[in-house]
C-alpha cells in the first residue's frame, strides 16, 4: 500500500493586533484634533458675541445717562413753574399765615373767549 500524504493543515496566521491598535489610536487622535478645532471655533464665536454685547451695554448705559439728565432737566422745579406761569397762566400766591403753603389758582376760559 502506498501511503499517500495527506495535506497538512496549516495553522491560521495570528491576527496582527499591533496594526489594529495603531490604526485605532490614529483614529482617536484624528477625532480629537477635529474636536479641538471645532471647540476653538465655538470659543472664538462666543468671544465675538461677548465683545459685541459689552459694546452694546456701554452704548445703552451712555444713552441711559443722557435720558436721565434730560429727564432731570425737563422736570426741574424752576422750569415747571416758569411753564405754569407763561403757558398755563397760573399764579402763585403765598398766604401770610402759612408761608410754606402755595396756592395755585386756575382760571377757566371759555372756547368763545379765546377765539
Amino acid at each position: 500500500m502506498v501511503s499517500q500524504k495527506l495535506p497538512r493543515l496549516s495553522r491560521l496566521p495570528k491576527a496582527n493586533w499591533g496594526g489594529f491598535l495603531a490604526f485605532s489610536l490614529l483614529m482617536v487622535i484624528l477625532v480629537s484634533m477635529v474636536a479641538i478645532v471645532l471647540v476653538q471655533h465655538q470659543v472664538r464665536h462666543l468671544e465675538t458675541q461677548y465683545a459685541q454685547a459689552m459694546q452694546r451695554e456701554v452704548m445703552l448705559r451712555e444713552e441711559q445717562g443722557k435720558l436721565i439728565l434730560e429727564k432731570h432737566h425737563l422736570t426741574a422745579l424752576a422750569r415747571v413753574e416758569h411753564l405754569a406761569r407763561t403757558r398755563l397762566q397760573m399764579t402763585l400766591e403765598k398766604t401770610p399765615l402759612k408761608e410754606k403753603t402755595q396756592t395755585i389758582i386756575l382760571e377757566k376760559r371759555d372756547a368763545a373767549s379765546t377765539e
Side-chain angles (χ1 to χ4, degrees):
M1 206 171 161
V2 178
S3 74
Q4 293 182 347
K5 287 189 171 183
L6 295 173
R8 203 168 179 210
L9 293 175
S10 63
R11 289 185 166 176
L12 293 175
K14 291 184 178 179
N16 188 3
W17 290 103
F20 178 73
L21 182 62
F23 178 75
S24 298
L25 289 176
L26 181 64
M27 286 289 111
V28 168
I29 290 172
L30 289 175
V31 169
S32 297
M33 291 172 71
V34 169
I36 288 172
V37 169
L38 290 175
V39 168
Q40 286 177 343
H41 176 71
Q42 289 176 347
V43 167
R44 287 188 186 116
H45 183 68
L46 289 174
E47 286 176 346
T48 303
Q49 285 182 339
Y50 179 73
Q52 290 173 349
M54 294 302 292
Q55 288 175 347
R56 180 146 170 80
E57 180 188 8
V58 168
M59 186 178 68
L60 289 174
R61 286 194 187 273
E62 288 176 2
E63 184 179 351
Q64 180 186 22
K66 290 176 185 177
L67 290 173
I68 288 172
L69 187 63
E70 183 180 356
K71 176 187 168 194
H72 287 301
H73 171 71
L74 293 175
T75 58
L77 183 60
R79 178 176 164 75
V80 171
E81 285 183 10
H82 175 72
L83 290 175
R85 286 184 188 152
T86 57
R87 290 190 185 171
L88 302 174
Q89 288 80 31
M90 295 177 149
T91 59
L92 177 68
E93 295 179 5
K94 291 187 178 181
T95 58
L97 298 176
K98 300 178 182 176
E99 293 180 9
K100 294 184 180 181
T101 304
Q102 297 177 356
T103 304
I104 299 175
I105 300 172
L106 301 175
E107 295 177 11
K108 185 176 181 181
R109 291 189 197 174
D110 293 335
S113 65
T114 59
E115 293 177 358

